[in-house]
Amino acid sequence: MNSLTSALHEKLAQALAQVHEAKSVQALYEVKVAFAGKQGFLTEIMKEMVKLSKEQKPLFGKEVNQCKTAFETTYQTREGQLQEQELFEKVARDSVDVSLPGLKIPAGAKHPIYIILHEVVAVLSKLGYTVRTGPQIEKDWYNFEALNIPPDHPARDMQDTFYIDANHVLRTHTSPVQIHALLSEKPPFRTIAPGSVFRCDSDVSHSPNFHQVEGLLVDHKVSMAELKGTISFLLSELFGSAIKVRFRPSFFPFTEPSAEFDCSCPICASKGCRLCKFSGWIEIGGSGLVNPRVFEAVKLDPAQWQGFAFGFGIERMAIIKYGIDDIRLFFENDLRFLGQFSV
Ligand code: PHE
């Protein structure tokens, strides 16, 4: 065996070892380029053939061809293995386990305040009430003065009212919308105003921001009986016809006479429970006939016009309807709480 032939076999053995060791199709391909590529080892060694004798040349050529075939065979086998292995790895990497449960997309739910508000609006719409809104930042005049709340009234106390400046407040109730309605609408009319109100107060049963619905009806002749009828209808629609309603004399500067209204406790059917403080009754809101001084403030003639007004808290309704005992839950936006109201 001449030195060229032994170099050839030595190199083939090396190349075959590299083929076995190659860890990827790419690495394997590089071995092939170096050994059998156009500018690879075999091409180079063929150039050395000139050094051989006439008899040796064809023998060496044959030898080179055999080496090439031997290399190709081993190469292809290894390439097949590596391709399969890479495919398996890719499939394992990208695989989708179709038996896994799908991702849960949580469905949104209406906020309980919104649900009740919507119900109240739906019931009173049946009685011909239109819905209106008013600004949450009010001039002192709308929130207090025009509602016959004099400057020294306790409701103006800094403890209760968020003042923006000497002349502007965050509305402490929805009653200022009565004034907006009286100034912009031609009586007779009936309207309700649901919305956010603000008071400087915070504990389990008080939130600095809560919601009220205001009702106002203006006509030539309006009686307490009509007011009672309207409130009773609303509460029986909301809590069921078994509910009883009672009116208690009260005082509001903007109504005269005034009454607070309660409903029989729907939780314990008036047997007595924590919610109704074992009285069988739950306070709902305030009401009364529009005080003539309010008509005067908006330049309507109290000799011609009468009205009734009522207002109540929506959170209170939700507390009763859903048996919720902490008002702060309505404002924390905890999805575990809100999710319970999805339909
Ligand atoms: N605005 C009163 C309150 O917030 C409720 C009310 C409204 C009373 C309308 C009488 C008439 O307490």
Side-chain angles (χ1 to χ4, degrees):
M1 198 194 279
N2 58 55
S3 64
L4 224 48
T5 312
S6 59
L8 175 65
H9 282 283
E10 201 176 300
K11 195 73 187 175
L12 174 66
Q14 227 177 61
L16 291 180
Q18 284 170 347
V19 164
H20 287 297
E21 280 160 19
K23 294 276 183 291
S24 67
V25 174
Q26 179 60 32
L28 183 68
Y29 181 70
E30 279 157 21
V31 176
K32 182 177 169 163
V33 170
F35 185 72
K38 262 196 197 124
Q39 286 151 29
F41 174 79
L42 290 182
T43 310
E44 291 304 314
I45 207 164
M46 290 284 271
K47 291 179 188 160
E48 306 282 320
M49 252 166 58
V50 287
K51 294 179 190 161
L52 297 175
S53 67
K54 219 174 154 203
E55 300 78 53
Q56 281 176 321
K57 272 180 193 160
L59 289 175
F60 184 72
K62 208 172 152 195
E63 202 81 43
V64 169
N65 277 338
Q66 279 169 356
C67 284
K68 198 169 182 170
T69 313
F71 179 82
E72 275 298 333
T73 315
T74 311
Y75 178 87
Q76 271 162 22
T77 314
R78 182 68 184 144
E79 188 184 40
Q81 286 171 353
L82 284 174
Q83 275 170 346
E84 193 178 345
Q85 184 182 321
E86 284 183 11
L87 182 68
F88 273 127
E89 279 166 11
K90 185 171 155 45
V91 168
R93 243 192 342 265
D94 302 347
S95 72
V96 174
D97 182 350
V98 291
S99 69
L100 279 176
L103 285 181
K104 201 171 167 195
I105 300 171
K110 281 182 188 157
H111 194 283
I113 298 303
Y114 180 82
I115 297 172
I116 306 267
L117 212 116
H118 197 81
E119 281 177 17
V120 170
V121 168
V123 173
L124 291 172
S125 302
K126 287 199 237 174
L127 300 183
Y129 284 77
T130 57
V131 178
R132 59 160 58 229
T133 55
Q136 293 180 3
I137 295 174
E138 280 289 10
K139 286 213 171 83
D140 184 282
W141 188 78
Y142 286 91
N143 197 80
F144 295 128
E145 200 78 42
L147 288 164
N148 191 35
I149 303 177
D152 53 1
H153 192 277
R156 287 181 166 232
D157 201 304
M158 279 300 260
Q159 283 175 6
D160 296 322
T161 309
F162 286 113
Y163 279 87
I164 290 186
D165 57 35
N167 207 14
H168 294 87
V169 300
L170 289 181
R171 66 177 180 192
T172 55
H173 50 177
T174 42
S175 299
V177 190
Q178 286 190 39
I179 304 301
H180 290 286
L182 287 164
L183 286 171
S184 63
E185 214 147 321
K186 241 174 89 93
F189 66 83
R190 50 186 76 181
T191 191
I192 45 173
S196 244
V197 301
F198 306 86
R199 285 183 201 177
C200 198
D201 211 349
S202 184
D203 60 42
V204 264
S205 54
H206 295 91
S207 160
N209 172 211
F210 58 102
H211 298 81
Q212 287 187 331
V213 176
E214 192 80 8
L216 173 66
L217 179 144
V218 181
D219 212 326
H220 291 293
K221 252 192 135 9
V222 178
S223 71
M224 279 300 272
E226 287 167 281
L227 169 64
K228 267 189 95 166
T230 304
I231 300 283
S232 303
F233 177 71
L234 172 65
L235 294 178
S236 65
E237 288 284 295
L238 289 178
F239 298 124
S241 54
I243 225 78
K244 287 195 279 293
V245 180
R246 80 174 181 189
F247 283 70
R248 282 179 290 111
S250 185
F251 174 79
F252 298 102
F254 37 94
T255 47
E256 183 60 35
S258 302
E260 280 174 78
F261 52 96
D262 308 337
C263 74
S264 55
C265 182
I267 303 289
C268 64
S270 294
K271 286 188 188 72
C273 67
R274 212 159 64 101
L275 188 70
C276 63
K277 301 196 189 86
F278 298 93
S279 70
W281 294 95
I282 292 182
E283 289 177 27
I284 301 287
S287 66
L289 296 186
V290 176
N291 192 318
R293 300 192 66 162
V294 173
F295 284 126
E296 280 162 13
V298 296
K299 312 249 175 328
L300 282 174
D301 181 2
Q304 268 205 52
W305 297 107
Q306 295 185 334
F308 68 65
F310 57 87
F312 53 84
I314 296 287
E315 279 75 5
R316 231 187 138 61
M317 294 270 185
I319 283 169
I320 298 165
K321 183 140 188 173
Y322 299 116
I324 295 159
D325 58 5
D326 188 339
I327 196 168
R328 291 171 294 199
L329 286 166
F330 293 121
F331 298 90
E332 282 166 353
N333 287 333
D334 185 332
L335 290 178
R336 291 168 301 181
F337 171 73
L338 295 177
Q340 294 174 40
F341 301 93
S342 60
V343 271

